[in-house]
Amino acid sequence: MITRKEQQNARRRAAEMLRAADVRITDAEADGIEVVDFGLGRLEKEGGQVLTLVQTERISVKVLALFPNQTEPEHWHPPVAGDPGKEETVRVISGTLYFYLPGENTYKEGFLVKGKEHCYSMRHEIVMRPGEQITLAPGVKHWFQARDEGVVMYSFSTIARDALDQFTDKDIVRTTKVVEK
Amino acid sequence: MITRKEQQNARRRAAEMLRAADVRITDAEADGIEVVDFGLGRLEKEGGQVLTLVQTERISVKVLALFPNQTEPEHWHPPVAGDPGKEETVRVISGTLYFYLPGENTYKEGFLVKGKEHCYSMRHEIVMRPGEQITLAPGVKHWFQARDEGVVMYSFSTIARDALDQFTDKDIVRTTKVVEK
């Protein structure tokens, strides 16, 4: 749960980050940036800001902004009826992205969210810089993080069904509740 | 057919356009820009420069640069075995894009390539500026053009099978032949 004011502030900050990263977006798009707290109510620690540029029945294009030291919780994209699940290519636009997925434990430069260490089980670390990208097959568990400068990145994928994403942290609710206050 | 020198010059110009439009690409990506003359041998008039960022069995992301007054010939993406055909979203990054597709004849601001007027049959004109985009269903005939300043644009799509694209101009060969000279 976040307040309307938190949502508006986060949206404005994210739009500024996108524009500072030279991503050309319209004012209407900036106003439509989704602020996601994963139902955890501590956006600055675990959350993300998402602008959806394309969403059809076949593909999805999003631009994500992560604030400094913000972490997107570990999740995966399961198969659903008639679809093997979301395949996703993540490409960094600005900042440094700390990305974690299955494989040898090379965890070194990121940090585990305090009190939630058990919800971040993937420890194969990839450090990605602008122009670098990685493609994830459906079902691959992953989480990612920004450090001091924040990150702006693309997510190019097959159809996104965000509400069906699976999370390691069972406290997570994908729909963010916004309260007037 | 183009010469190696034409290819290298076009590739360099396109990379400069992408970078001037703040698209962040690696040097390796710049070196991989595809220069396409559609087998017509007059790249400046009919052609395009294409950087493929993502190409999997499910999706494709390309950045296209069109030089000033360069036209991408009329074409469409047909169904192929097991696939209804490529669905494509075009989004302008810089410059003004003159885009033509089926519908009411609103042709006004573009121009038809001289001597090839019969190969440009779609006359519903859409003028698109940075941050504007359009999604095309598979099979929809379209062509597009840059004017004085050139255009840089994204193409987000389902799997691209460029070699299977269909063109109104039967002189077209999708594979560009490069000759050393």
Side-chain angles (χ1 to χ4, degrees):
Chain A
M1 189 176 82
I2 56 174
T3 66
R4 180 70 62 196
K5 190 166 181 179
E6 282 179 299
Q7 182 196 43
Q8 288 167 341
N9 283 343
R11 187 175 275 160
R12 188 171 54 240
R13 278 176 72 193
E16 283 167 7
M17 287 177 68
L18 266 56
R19 286 175 166 146
D22 297 316
V23 179
R24 295 169 186 201
I25 60 171
T26 65
D27 290 343
E29 287 171 333
D31 290 341
I33 292 173
E34 185 190 5
V35 176
V36 184
D37 82 336
F38 298 98
L40 301 174
R42 45 185 197 163
L43 180 69
E44 296 288 326
K45 286 191 165 52
E46 293 178 292
Q49 293 65 232
V50 184
L51 169 58
T52 297
L53 295 182
V54 180
Q55 172 72 311
T56 75
E57 286 300 307
R58 299 176 70 190
I59 70 165
S60 172
V61 177
K62 297 169 187 265
V63 186
L64 281 70
L66 286 193
F67 298 145
N69 300 308
Q70 195 179 32
T71 303
E72 169 129 345
E74 185 171 285
H75 66 286
W76 64 97
H77 310 291
V80 293
D83 180 345
K86 183 169 104 165
E87 173 202 281
E88 181 175 26
T89 297
V90 164
R91 180 181 174 94
V92 178
I93 303 171
S94 75
T96 303
L97 178 66
Y98 300 85
F99 200 94
Y100 300 88
L101 67 173
E104 185 193 353
N105 185 338
T106 55
Y107 171 71
K108 184 177 168 196
E109 300 196 41
F111 64 90
L112 300 178
V113 177
K114 279 208 179 106
K116 288 283 186 175
E117 292 82 355
H118 59 292
C119 299
Y120 292 89
S121 58
M122 299 295 107
R123 303 290 170 86
H124 186 67
E125 177 179 273
I126 295 177
V127 179
M128 294 167 64
R129 297 193 166 80
E132 295 181 342
Q133 64 185 44
I134 187 173
T135 298
L136 300 178
V140 173
K141 281 190 188 179
H142 57 288
W143 59 280
F144 46 91
Q145 186 169 73
R147 299 301 302 269
D148 295 350
E149 57 193 339
V151 164
V152 178
M153 57 200 259
Y154 280 111
S155 166
F156 306 119
S157 75
T158 58
I159 179 174
R161 296 182 173 95
D162 296 341
L164 301 181
D165 285 350
Q166 300 289 307
F167 292 86
T168 305
D169 183 352
K170 296 310 172 198
D171 292 341
I172 283 178
V173 180
R174 180 59 181 79
T175 308
T176 297
K177 190 170 171 188
V178 180
V179 293
E180 310 295 340
K181 188 179 156 183
Chain B
M1 188 177 82
I2 57 174
T3 65
R4 181 69 61 196
K5 190 166 179 178
E6 281 179 299
Q7 182 196 43
Q8 288 167 342
N9 284 342
R11 188 175 275 162
R12 189 170 53 240
R13 278 176 71 194
E16 284 167 8
M17 287 176 68
L18 265 56
R19 286 175 166 147
D22 297 317
V23 179
R24 297 171 185 198
I25 60 171
T26 66
D27 290 342
E29 286 171 334
D31 290 341
I33 292 174
E34 185 191 6
V35 176
V36 185
D37 82 337
F38 297 99
L40 301 173
R42 43 183 197 165
L43 179 69
E44 296 289 325
K45 286 192 164 52
E46 293 178 292
Q49 293 65 231
V50 184
L51 170 58
T52 298
L53 295 182
V54 180
Q55 172 73 311
T56 75
E57 287 300 307
R58 299 177 70 189
I59 71 166
S60 172
V61 177
K62 297 168 187 266
V63 186
L64 281 70
L66 286 192
F67 297 146
N69 299 308
Q70 194 179 34
T71 302
E72 169 128 346
E74 185 171 284
H75 65 285
W76 64 99
H77 309 293
V80 293
D83 181 344
K86 184 170 103 165
E87 173 202 280
E88 182 175 26
T89 297
V90 164
R91 180 181 174 94
V92 178
I93 302 171
S94 73
T96 303
L97 178 66
Y98 300 84
F99 200 95
Y100 300 88
L101 68 171
E104 185 193 355
N105 185 337
T106 54
Y107 172 71
K108 184 177 168 198
E109 300 194 43
F111 64 90
L112 301 177
V113 177
K114 278 208 179 105
K116 288 282 187 175
E117 293 82 355
H118 59 293
C119 298
Y120 291 88
S121 59
M122 298 297 105
R123 303 289 171 86
H124 185 68
E125 179 179 273
I126 295 178
V127 179
M128 292 167 64
R129 297 193 166 80
E132 294 180 344
Q133 64 184 43
I134 186 172
T135 298
L136 301 177
V140 173
K141 282 190 188 180
H142 57 288
W143 59 279
F144 47 90
Q145 187 169 72
R147 299 303 301 270
D148 295 351
E149 57 192 339
V151 164
V152 177
M153 58 201 257
Y154 280 110
S155 166
F156 305 119
S157 74
T158 58
I159 179 174
R161 296 181 173 95
D162 297 340
L164 301 181
D165 285 348
Q166 299 289 307
F167 292 87
T168 304
D169 183 352
K170 296 310 171 198
D171 293 340
I172 284 178
V173 181
R174 181 57 180 80
T175 307
T176 297
K177 191 172 171 186
V178 180
V179 294
E180 309 297 339
K181 188 179 155 182

